[in-house]
Amino acid sequence: MTSIALFGAGGKMGVRLSKNLAKTDFDVRHVEVMPAGQARLKEAVGVDCVEPDAALDGAEVVVLAVPDTAIGKVAGMVVPKVAPGTIVVILDAAAPFAGHLPERADITYFVTHPCHPTIFTKETTEEGRNDHFGGIAAEQAVVNALMQGPDEHYAIGDEVARAIYAPVCRTHRVTVEQMAYLEPGLSETVCASLLVVMREAMEEVIKTGVPRECARDFLLGHMNILGAVIFEEVDGVFSDACNKAIEFGKPMLMRDDWKKVFEPGEIAASIERIT
């Protein structure tokens, strides 16, 4: 059995991971410093936490399930204590991209992040359809990056990623830099911002007297079919009227230079703000 030291095991993400790891053959040592987190983990998974040094003793993999803002501090305490050849797994590219991980050439840094279940769900169960975050019942893809370390460690990191984010339909191998373009660039700066604008637009329509339930049904239904066409989930085309609305609507909503959010400096600045 591969031994895993899971730091932050009692946090929101840590409990999610602990539940999934409990279904595997991994030897998991749970670390949580907050009493509330320890109690939460005990109630959810039925396991007790151990001291950090005990968890690290002989651990082949160390998973840091802690917030981006705490990664540097926690890694600074943990990484100097791990044995050469240890695989340190980080769950987001922000801190690694920003240079918040201690320099140590004799260990592996592996970064992994879930894609979350697609909106074009093929789930056949109610539990799966209601698992919007992933890691419970709905399949999701996962993005991995071997930041440093021998290439054979990628397979081990991928196995851990598939376990903690299960059920997983597929994994994608990218670089840490490419992962930063995916998040925060694509997923948060662009997607989340535009979705907030769409919600605000719905509220403007409601102000005109359209019933809230009607506006919500209309918007979400059109998000489904329009998204299916745009992302080639179905073979379809827009009407001439829709194409005209896009032609005149996009310049009203988007600055001409909006793609600057993907320039390396902008990505770095965005990550600096959240770490």
Side-chain angles (χ1 to χ4, degrees), residues 32-67:
E32 174 58 55
V33 298
M34 301 300 293
Q38 294 172 0
R40 186 185 305 118
L41 183 66
K42 181 69 172 180
E43 180 180 0
V45 190
V47 297
D48 295 311
C49 295
V50 299
E51 293 298 318
D53 288 347
L56 292 174
D57 186 17
E60 299 161 84
V61 177
V62 176
V63 178
L64 302 181
V66 298

Side-chain angles (χ1 to χ4, degrees), residues 13-199:
M13 195 64 189
V15 170
R16 284 179 175 272
L17 271 54
S18 296
K19 286 181 176 179
N20 278 346
L21 287 170
K23 304 171 186 177
T24 71
D25 292 330
F26 288 114
D27 169 26
V28 185
R29 298 92 174 267
H30 303 82
V31 179
E32 174 58 55
V33 298
M34 301 300 293
Q38 294 172 0
R40 186 185 305 118
L41 183 66
K42 181 69 172 180
E43 180 180 0
V45 190
V47 297
D48 295 311
C49 295
V50 299
E51 293 298 318
D53 288 347
L56 292 174
D57 186 17
E60 299 161 84
V61 177
V62 176
V63 178
L64 302 181
V66 298
D68 290 330
T69 53
I71 284 287
K73 179 180 179 181
V74 175
M77 294 185 296
V78 171
V79 169
K81 297 181 178 180
V82 303
T86 301
I87 301 173
V88 178
V89 177
I90 301 95
L91 306 182
D92 191 280
F97 181 88
H100 294 324
L101 301 179
E103 291 188 16
R104 187 167 167 188
D106 62 346
I107 65 168
T108 292
Y109 281 131
F110 185 90
V111 187
T112 181
H113 194 77
C115 294
H116 305 298
T118 174
I119 61 172
F120 304 120
T121 181
K122 302 296 192 298
E123 297 297 326
T124 58
T125 67
E126 183 175 1
E127 185 183 24
R129 290 189 293 272
N130 290 331
D131 182 15
H132 302 293
F133 188 88
I136 299 174
E139 283 193 337
Q140 64 179 328
V142 174
V143 180
N144 297 327
L146 184 65
M147 183 176 181
Q148 69 173 50
D151 198 63
E152 56 265 28
H153 277 183
Y154 180 85
I156 301 173
D158 185 77
E159 182 183 6
V160 172
R162 288 176 180 272
I164 62 178
Y165 297 134
V168 173
C169 57
R170 58 185 167 270
T171 59
H172 304 280
R173 183 171 182 175
V174 298
T175 65
V176 171
E177 289 76 14
Q178 289 169 334
M179 195 178 289
Y181 281 103
L182 293 171
E183 186 165 304
L186 182 61
S187 63
E188 295 173 345
T189 304
V190 175
C191 184
S193 297
L194 293 179
L195 287 171
V196 168
V197 170
M198 291 169 68
R199 171 61 189 270

Side-chain angles (χ1 to χ4, degrees), residues 212-246:
R212 176 172 296 275
E213 187 175 26
C214 172
R216 189 175 189 275
D217 284 346
F218 204 82
L219 176 60
L220 295 182
H222 278 75
M223 284 173 63
N224 186 19
I225 182 56
L226 295 173
V229 173
I230 291 171
F231 289 95
E232 301 177 342
E233 185 73 11
V234 299
D235 184 14
V237 295
F238 291 156
S239 67
D240 290 341
C242 183
N243 284 327
K244 278 292 183 183
I246 295 170

